[in-house]
Amino acid sequence: MRIKKDDTVIVITGKDKGKTGKVLRAMPKENKVVVEGVNVQTKHQKQTRTEKAEIKHIEGPIDASNVMFYDTKTKEAIKVGYKIDGDRKVRVNRKTGNVID
């Protein structure tokens, strides 16, 4: 999976198409990511002795194939590739060749 935690991504399909946000959690085994402000679900919290009853809005996971890396400098979605830089494997923008991390 080419998307990691703290990356900025844009949603390319689904009900939240066009939204951008930061990846809060990446789950490579399930090929899913949790993006800030995308796929917001409503959960009803039952009252306990320590917590009050409330309605919580949390982000649910979406498939990693439905998001693309978003380049904040050029303001567009980009494809991510890999390149060997010395002894390190780094992610690069496939269109321009600039190193991402």
Side-chain angles (χ1 to χ4, degrees):
M1 196 163 75
R2 296 168 193 258
I3 298 184
K4 298 180 181 178
K5 183 180 176 181
D6 295 328
D7 285 347
T8 304
V9 294
I10 186 167
V11 180
I12 56 174
T13 60
K15 65 178 184 178
D16 294 317
K17 182 178 180 177
K19 288 187 179 178
T20 60
K22 190 172 84 165
V23 175
L24 301 175
R25 192 172 56 172
M27 299 174 278
K29 287 185 180 178
E30 295 89 25
N31 197 37
K32 293 187 181 289
V33 292
V34 176
V35 182
E36 185 177 43
V38 175
N39 193 19
V40 177
Q41 301 169 347
T42 304
K43 298 287 183 184
H44 296 266
Q45 177 65 44
K46 200 172 188 179
Q47 184 170 350
T48 63
R49 290 184 182 196
T50 57
E51 295 182 27
K52 294 185 78 171
E54 64 178 326
I55 297 174
K56 293 184 178 181
H57 300 285
I58 62 168
E59 291 91 358
I62 59 173
D63 201 82
S65 65
N66 295 340
V67 298
M68 281 185 78
F69 190 87
Y70 185 73
D71 191 6
T72 55
K73 294 177 186 172
T74 60
K75 304 278 193 254
E76 63 182 0
I78 61 167
K79 290 184 178 181
V80 177
Y82 288 102
K83 184 167 46 169
I84 304 298
D85 186 27
D87 58 342
R88 290 182 39 216
K89 184 178 177 182
V90 293
R91 294 186 302 166
V92 294
N93 181 341
R94 290 192 37 202
K95 188 181 254 186
T96 63
N98 296 335
V99 175
I100 294 171
D101 12 74

